[in-house]
Amino acid sequence: KAGVTQTPRYLIKTRGQQVTLSCSPISGHRSVSWYQQTPGQGLQFLFEYFSETQRNKGNFPGRFSGRQFSNSRSEMNVSTLELGDSALYLCASSLNPSGSPSYNEQFFGPGTRLTVL
Amino acid sequence: AQKITQTQPGMFVQEKEAVTLDCTYDTSDPSYGLFWYKQPSSGEMIFLIYQGSYDQQNATEGRYSLNFQKARKSANLVISASQLGDSAMYFCAILYYGGATNKLIFGTGTLLAVQP
């Protein structure tokens, strides 16, 4: 079974540009979450999608947006890039819907490393 | 609000020795899961071990075990027989099951260096 894939793996953009990152979850997984990792702020939750609906959003400006398609693939978009958006962006997929007390492992992809110049 | 604390920014351990990485959490919710992830320099988050709040026994996965003390709200990771390949960042994270979302809250991580 293929793992979570993220494309591209590396990206270099300049300030003011926009960027789209893609995440393909494990087959059968309907939940996709996105995280931003920076040296200063650590790992922070961006948003989660389940069955094409955004279920939760972290404390990020509106420049950060996302969507999920019917095949559960997800994209996140950052508009008007700032230097501080340079980070490793990780996505995670999971099988179970939230609210279940049963084991619900979050499987991570390799990440997309975004550099904003 | 839920919070994860990892008090050890960095640790050294000799190869073949055991090491304990600390993790404490703060939550008033009764239903949650605790995860440990390893992140090598490549960036990928590798799942190591999981402990559910209702689990009676401490979790074990090969060389990894979890010292789960629910009353003290701690979930320390024990790595036995350290190997050079264990050198990486280690993150503790909590997933709250009571909300309508899969949202992991991570600690700040511990950088482990295994010395030959």
Coordinates of all heavy atoms in Angstrom, one line a residue, chain A residues 51-83:
Chain A
S51 N -13.8 14.3 3.9 CA -14.9 14.2 2.9 C -15.2 15.5 2.2 O -16.3 16.0 2.2 CB -16.2 13.6 3.5 OG -16.0 12.3 3.9
E52 N -14.1 16.2 1.8 CA -14.2 17.4 1.1 C -14.6 18.6 1.9 O -14.8 19.7 1.3 CB -15.1 17.3 -0.2 CG -14.6 16.2 -1.1 CD -15.6 16.1 -2.3 OE1 -15.7 17.0 -3.1 OE2 -16.2 15.0 -2.4
T53 N -14.7 18.5 3.2 CA -15.2 19.6 4.1 C -14.1 19.9 5.0 O -13.4 19.0 5.6 CB -16.4 19.2 4.8 OG1 -17.5 18.8 3.9 CG2 -16.9 20.3 5.8
Q54 N -13.8 21.2 5.2 CA -12.8 21.6 6.2 C -13.5 21.5 7.6 O -14.5 22.2 7.9 CB -12.4 23.1 5.9 CG -11.3 23.5 6.8 CD -10.9 25.0 6.6 OE1 -11.4 25.9 7.2 NE2 -9.9 25.2 5.7
R55 N -12.8 20.7 8.4 CA -13.4 20.5 9.7 C -12.8 21.4 10.8 O -13.5 21.7 11.8 CB -13.2 19.1 10.2 CG -14.0 18.1 9.3 CD -14.3 16.8 10.1 NE -13.1 16.1 10.3 CZ -13.1 14.8 10.7 NH1 -14.2 14.2 11.0 NH2 -11.9 14.2 10.9
N56 N -11.6 21.8 10.6 CA -11.0 22.7 11.6 C -9.9 23.5 10.9 O -9.3 23.0 10.0 CB -10.4 21.8 12.7 CG -10.1 22.6 14.0 OD1 -10.4 23.8 14.0 ND2 -9.5 22.0 15.0
K57 N -9.6 24.6 11.5 CA -8.6 25.5 10.9 C -7.7 26.0 12.1 O -8.3 26.5 13.1 CB -9.2 26.6 10.1 CG -8.2 27.5 9.4 CD -9.0 28.5 8.5 CE -8.1 29.6 7.8 NZ -6.8 29.4 7.5
G58 N -6.5 26.0 11.9 CA -5.6 26.6 12.9 C -5.5 28.1 12.8 O -6.2 28.7 12.0
N59 N -4.7 28.7 13.6 CA -4.6 30.1 13.7 C -3.6 30.7 12.7 O -2.5 31.1 13.0 CB -4.2 30.5 15.2 CG -4.2 32.0 15.4 OD1 -5.0 32.7 14.7 ND2 -3.5 32.5 16.3
F60 N -4.1 30.7 11.5 CA -3.3 31.2 10.4 C -4.1 32.2 9.6 O -5.3 32.2 9.6 CB -2.8 30.1 9.4 CG -1.7 29.3 9.9 CD1 -1.8 28.2 10.9 CD2 -0.4 29.5 9.5 CE1 -0.8 27.5 11.3 CE2 0.7 28.8 10.0 CZ 0.5 27.8 10.9
P61 N -3.4 33.2 8.9 CA -4.1 34.2 8.2 C -4.9 33.6 7.0 O -4.6 32.5 6.6 CB -3.0 35.2 7.7 CG -1.8 34.4 7.8 CD -1.9 33.4 8.9
G62 N -5.8 34.4 6.5 CA -6.6 33.9 5.3 C -5.8 33.6 4.1 O -6.3 33.0 3.1
R63 N -4.5 34.0 4.0 CA -3.7 33.7 2.9 C -3.5 32.2 2.7 O -3.1 31.7 1.6 CB -2.3 34.4 3.0 CG -2.3 35.9 3.1 CD -0.9 36.5 3.2 NE -0.1 36.0 4.3 CZ 0.9 35.1 4.3 NH1 1.2 34.6 3.1 NH2 1.5 34.8 5.3
F64 N -3.7 31.5 3.8 CA -3.6 30.0 3.8 C -4.9 29.4 3.6 O -5.9 29.7 4.3 CB -3.0 29.5 5.1 CG -1.5 29.9 5.3 CD1 -1.2 31.2 5.8 CD2 -0.5 29.0 5.1 CE1 0.1 31.5 6.0 CE2 0.8 29.3 5.2 CZ 1.1 30.6 5.7
S65 N -5.1 28.6 2.5 CA -6.3 28.0 2.3 C -6.1 26.6 1.8 O -4.9 26.2 1.4 CB -7.1 28.8 1.2 OG -6.4 28.8 0.0
G66 N -7.1 25.8 1.7 CA -7.0 24.5 1.2 C -8.3 24.0 0.6 O -9.3 24.6 0.7
R67 N -8.2 22.8 0.1 CA -9.4 22.1 -0.4 C -9.1 20.6 -0.5 O -7.9 20.2 -0.5 CB -9.8 22.7 -1.7 CG -8.8 22.5 -2.8 CD -9.4 23.1 -4.1 NE -8.5 23.1 -5.2 CZ -8.8 23.3 -6.5 NH1 -10.0 23.6 -6.8 NH2 -7.9 23.3 -7.4
Q68 N -10.2 19.9 -0.6 CA -10.0 18.4 -0.7 C -11.0 18.0 -1.9 O -12.1 18.4 -2.0 CB -10.4 17.7 0.5 CG -10.1 16.2 0.5 CD -10.4 15.5 1.8 OE1 -11.4 15.8 2.5 NE2 -9.7 14.4 2.1
F69 N -10.5 17.1 -2.7 CA -11.2 16.6 -3.8 C -11.9 15.3 -3.5 O -11.7 14.7 -2.4 CB -10.3 16.4 -5.0 CG -9.5 17.6 -5.4 CD1 -8.3 17.9 -4.9 CD2 -10.1 18.6 -6.2 CE1 -7.6 19.0 -5.2 CE2 -9.4 19.7 -6.6 CZ -8.2 20.0 -6.1
S70 N -12.8 14.9 -4.4 CA -13.6 13.7 -4.1 C -12.8 12.4 -3.9 O -13.2 11.5 -3.3 CB -14.6 13.5 -5.2 OG -14.0 13.4 -6.5
N71 N -11.6 12.4 -4.5 CA -10.7 11.2 -4.3 C -9.8 11.4 -3.0 O -8.9 10.6 -2.9 CB -9.8 11.0 -5.5 CG -8.9 12.2 -5.8 OD1 -8.9 13.2 -5.1 ND2 -8.0 12.1 -6.8
S72 N -10.1 12.3 -2.2 CA -9.5 12.6 -0.9 C -8.1 13.4 -1.1 O -7.6 13.8 -0.1 CB -9.3 11.4 -0.1 OG -10.5 10.9 0.3
R73 N -7.6 13.5 -2.3 CA -6.4 14.3 -2.4 C -6.7 15.7 -2.0 O -7.8 16.3 -2.1 CB -6.0 14.3 -3.9 CG -4.6 15.0 -4.1 CD -4.2 14.9 -5.6 NE -5.0 15.7 -6.5 CZ -4.8 17.0 -6.7 NH1 -3.7 17.6 -6.2 NH2 -5.6 17.7 -7.5
S74 N -5.7 16.3 -1.4 CA -5.9 17.7 -0.9 C -4.8 18.6 -1.4 O -3.7 18.2 -1.7 CB -5.8 17.6 0.7 OG -5.9 18.9 1.2
E75 N -5.1 19.9 -1.5 CA -4.2 20.9 -1.9 C -4.3 22.0 -0.8 O -5.3 22.3 -0.3 CB -4.5 21.5 -3.3 CG -4.3 20.6 -4.4 CD -4.6 21.2 -5.8 OE1 -5.2 22.3 -5.8 OE2 -4.2 20.7 -6.8
M76 N -3.1 22.6 -0.6 CA -3.2 23.8 0.2 C -2.5 25.0 -0.7 O -1.6 24.7 -1.5 CB -2.5 23.7 1.5 CG -1.0 23.5 1.5 SD -0.2 23.8 3.1 CE -0.2 25.6 3.1
N77 N -3.0 26.1 -0.5 CA -2.6 27.3 -1.3 C -2.1 28.4 -0.3 O -2.8 28.6 0.7 CB -3.7 27.8 -2.2 CG -3.3 28.9 -3.0 OD1 -3.3 30.1 -2.6 ND2 -2.8 28.6 -4.3
V78 N -1.0 29.0 -0.6 CA -0.6 30.2 0.1 C -0.5 31.3 -0.9 O 0.3 31.2 -1.8 CB 0.7 30.0 0.9 CG1 1.0 31.2 1.8 CG2 0.7 28.7 1.7
S79 N -1.2 32.4 -0.6 CA -1.1 33.5 -1.5 C -0.3 34.6 -0.9 O 0.0 34.6 0.3 CB -2.5 34.1 -1.8 OG -3.1 34.5 -0.6
T80 N 0.2 35.5 -1.8 CA 1.0 36.6 -1.3 C 2.1 36.2 -0.3 O 2.1 36.6 0.9 CB 0.1 37.7 -0.7 OG1 -1.1 37.9 -1.5 CG2 0.9 39.1 -0.7
L81 N 3.0 35.4 -0.8 CA 4.0 34.8 0.1 C 4.8 35.8 0.8 O 5.2 36.8 0.3 CB 4.9 33.8 -0.7 CG 4.3 32.5 -1.1 CD1 5.1 31.8 -2.2 CD2 4.2 31.6 0.1
E82 N 5.1 35.5 2.1 CA 6.0 36.3 2.9 C 7.2 35.4 3.3 O 7.1 34.2 3.2 CB 5.2 36.7 4.2 CG 4.0 37.6 3.9 CD 3.2 37.9 5.1 OE1 3.7 37.5 6.2 OE2 2.2 38.6 5.0
L83 N 8.3 36.1 3.7 CA 9.5 35.4 4.1 C 9.2 34.4 5.2 O 9.8 33.3 5.2 CB 10.6 36.4 4.5 CG 11.1 37.4 3.4 CD1 12.1 38.3 4.1 CD2 11.7 36.6 2.3

